[in-house]
Amino acid sequence: MDELNFKIRMDKDILVKCVSEQLQLQLTRDELNWKVELVSEDVNFTTKGVYRVLGTVDNEIEWSLILKILQQVEDKLDPQHHNYWKREALVLSTTILDRYSNLFNTPQCYYIEEKAEGTVWLWMEEVDGPFNQTLTKKDFQFLAHTLGSFNGKYMLEPITLQPWICRSWLDSWIKSSQHYSIQVEDYFDMISPTIKEIVESYLKLKKEIPYHLDVLKSLPQVLAHQDLSKGNISISKGALTLIDWQFMSVSALGEDLGKLFGVMLSQGKIPFEEVDAYKRLLLANYIKGLQDSSGWIGKKESLAYSFYISFALRSVWEAPKLVESIIQGNSDKEHNRLFHIVTYQLRTYKEACEIINKKRL
């Protein structure tokens, strides 16, 4: 047995069961040949590793599975934490996502294995798709429309909420981000006047966070993915596949769109020179998807506010990163990237506040 196989200590009977289900055959150990490949290790706090288990049946029929190992983390044991360690396993143990199969694909989970040492192993279908792909404007248009359709369908057919579906995702994420970030005011004397101006605007935003979280709570609430990053999205042949539902929550209508916009901008999938055009495109197509699926006739200003504020509040992570990058002497390229992101977040924050001040919700 090679080192990787030994390291993850697979239960061969479970492997045979999963492959049998995938191929719809009744297999035995002797018919199965396999190997294990590391996809990624220590992906985040709660994911210990992701592995590809692949092989053949009698050296003829090829198969592959994804094995994802979840681990307990001391400050993420609360089912209402935004990154509750066991949430993805609980999502996959239900039929919650089945009702949205006409909108997007999700990987099938063949087996959920709870280990004695406290980890949970998810034996899943390997989804064939170009994850981390370059997304075109047309892709973003399709993605936003599907996201609006998803939220609209939930409004028509809400589910009974399980205790492990997060109800205050953004609040929890903000508190966690602040816990792991530097306090920017402690470094005020070490930054330039231009950055000081940004920091002052950020500190004003920071003081007003509780107010905006309360406003978001007052808006219509829908099921949300909350982790629509480049690695969790695949668009191929007119079909959308979404993976990693670890952050599933019930959040304000439009909030998931803000997360998508923010993460894609940070990951370089949205070019800065076209950021306004992308923001308009995402909102317009999200609204169209919402209307197409539910006949929604709510206030567009409320949607715009939720979209803008959830994007702008991502500055609680990136504003401290900007200051940290400067004091650590990182590259000008990194400074400029963070400078443009935070500047745009704060500009969008002003737009969100204008909607509130004009009482258009």
Side-chain angles (χ1 to χ4, degrees), residues 50 66 78 80 88 94 136 181-182 189 210 218 234-235 249 280 293 341 349-350 359:
V50 179
I66 291 294
D78 180 357
Q80 283 302 302
E88 186 172 13
T94 72
T136 65
S181 298
I182 65 169
D189 294 335
S218 73
S234 171
I235 298 176
S249 71
R280 290 192 297 270
S293 67
I341 290 173
Y349 179 68
K350 289 181 180 179
K359 298 180 180 179

Side-chain angles (χ1 to χ4, degrees), residues 134-166:
T134 297
L135 298 172
T136 65
K137 276 188 178 179
K138 188 175 180 180
D139 291 330
F140 275 105
Q141 180 178 339
F142 172 55
L143 186 54
H145 185 277
T146 304
L147 191 57
S149 298
F150 167 48
N151 289 166
K153 186 166 184 175
Y154 177 84
M155 292 177 75
L156 286 178
E157 304 171 13
I159 62 172
T160 300
L161 294 184
Q162 300 291 337
W164 40 262
I165 296 178
C166 189

Side-chain angles (χ1 to χ4, degrees), residues 11-53:
D11 185 321
K12 306 308 181 300
D13 290 331
I14 289 177
L15 175 61
V16 171
K17 174 183 171 61
C18 293
V19 177
S20 296
E21 183 175 347
Q22 183 185 76
L23 299 179
Q24 296 187 338
L25 297 171
Q26 202 62 41
L27 302 173
T28 65
R29 283 188 178 208
D30 294 338
E31 295 173 281
L32 221 57
N33 300 300
W34 69 85
K35 64 178 180 178
V36 182
E37 297 176 350
L38 176 65
V39 176
S40 53
E41 197 167 28
D42 294 324
V43 181
N44 59 37
F45 294 107
T46 59
T47 302
K48 188 174 184 179
V50 179
Y51 304 88
R52 178 179 294 106
V53 187

Side-chain angles (χ1 to χ4, degrees), residues 62-116:
E62 295 183 348
W63 55 268
S64 66
L65 302 169
I66 291 294
L67 171 60
K68 185 173 183 178
I69 300 178
L70 308 179
Q71 62 183 348
Q72 296 186 45
V73 181
E74 186 175 347
D75 63 344
K76 295 168 180 61
L77 302 178
D78 180 357
Q80 283 302 302
H81 190 281
H82 77 279
N83 194 16
Y84 172 51
W85 79 279
K86 205 175 181 181
R87 185 175 293 118
E88 186 172 13
L90 292 165
V91 171
L92 295 176
S93 70
T94 72
T95 59
I96 289 174
L97 297 175
D98 292 351
R99 61 170 57 194
Y100 307 109
S101 59
N102 65 318
L103 297 175
F104 48 76
N105 302 316
T106 55
Q108 182 178 351
C109 184
Y110 299 115
Y111 197 83
I112 298 173
E113 181 185 5
E114 300 204 24
K115 292 285 193 178

Side-chain angles (χ1 to χ4, degrees), residues 47-310:
T47 302
K48 188 174 184 179
V50 179
Y51 304 88
R52 178 179 294 106
V53 187
L54 67 162
T56 60
V57 176
D58 290 335
N59 296 313
E60 292 182 359
I61 304 173
E62 295 183 348
W63 55 268
S64 66
L65 302 169
I66 291 294
L67 171 60
K68 185 173 183 178
I69 300 178
L70 308 179
Q71 62 183 348
Q72 296 186 45
V73 181
E74 186 175 347
D75 63 344
K76 295 168 180 61
L77 302 178
D78 180 357
Q80 283 302 302
H81 190 281
H82 77 279
N83 194 16
Y84 172 51
W85 79 279
K86 205 175 181 181
R87 185 175 293 118
E88 186 172 13
L90 292 165
V91 171
L92 295 176
S93 70
T94 72
T95 59
I96 289 174
L97 297 175
D98 292 351
R99 61 170 57 194
Y100 307 109
S101 59
N102 65 318
L103 297 175
F104 48 76
N105 302 316
T106 55
Q108 182 178 351
C109 184
Y110 299 115
Y111 197 83
I112 298 173
E113 181 185 5
E114 300 204 24
K115 292 285 193 178
E117 75 273 14
T119 60
V120 174
W121 293 25
L122 306 179
W123 295 86
M124 297 184 290
E125 170 190 11
E126 179 169 17
V127 179
D128 183 18
F131 292 90
N132 289 311
Q133 70 200 100
T134 297
L135 298 172
T136 65
K137 276 188 178 179
K138 188 175 180 180
D139 291 330
F140 275 105
Q141 180 178 339
F142 172 55
L143 186 54
H145 185 277
T146 304
L147 191 57
S149 298
F150 167 48
N151 289 166
K153 186 166 184 175
Y154 177 84
M155 292 177 75
L156 286 178
E157 304 171 13
I159 62 172
T160 300
L161 294 184
Q162 300 291 337
W164 40 262
I165 296 178
C166 189
R167 271 69 154 190
S168 302
W169 192 93
L170 190 55
D171 185 15
S172 176
W173 180 84
I174 286 171
K175 288 173 181 174
S176 184
S177 296
Q178 291 174 330
H179 174 74
Y180 290 106
S181 298
I182 65 169
Q183 299 299 309
V184 294
E185 51 269 47
D186 294 343
Y187 301 90
F188 207 70
D189 294 335
M190 302 174 64
I191 55 180
S192 69
T194 301
I195 303 301
K196 283 181 180 179
E197 186 176 343
I198 289 175
V199 169
E200 287 171 346
S201 296
Y202 164 67
L203 291 175
K204 180 177 182 297
L205 173 154
K206 191 176 174 182
K207 289 180 181 178
E208 296 170 352
I209 287 174
Y211 167 74
H212 291 290
L213 291 176
D214 283 344
V215 175
L216 286 172
K217 281 288 187 184
S218 73
L219 300 178
Q221 304 292 299
V222 294
L223 199 65
H225 184 283
Q226 285 289 18
D227 197 11
L228 294 172
S229 61
K230 61 183 182 180
N232 294 335
I233 295 169
S234 171
I235 298 176
S236 179
K237 299 178 181 178
L240 170 64
T241 300
L242 300 179
I243 63 172
D244 196 346
W245 289 82
Q246 174 68 13
F247 287 172
M248 179 183 275
S249 71
V250 169
S251 299
L253 188 66
E255 195 176 314
D256 220 0
L257 190 68
K259 174 65 182 288
L260 168 68
F261 183 51
V263 171
M264 288 297 183
L265 186 62
S266 297
Q267 293 179 334
K269 294 295 183 179
I270 293 176
F272 280 115
E273 59 271 18
E274 296 185 80
V275 65
D276 283 328
Y278 273 83
K279 187 168 71 171
R280 290 192 297 270
L281 177 143
L282 286 172
L283 182 57
N285 284 279
Y286 178 84
I287 290 173
K288 189 173 187 308
L290 185 61
Q291 292 171 335
D292 288 347
S293 67
S294 68
W296 180 80
I297 54 172
K299 289 186 176 181
K300 293 182 180 179
E301 291 86 356
S302 294
L303 267 184
Y305 167 80
S306 180
F307 173 33
Y308 294 170
I309 199 67
S310 54

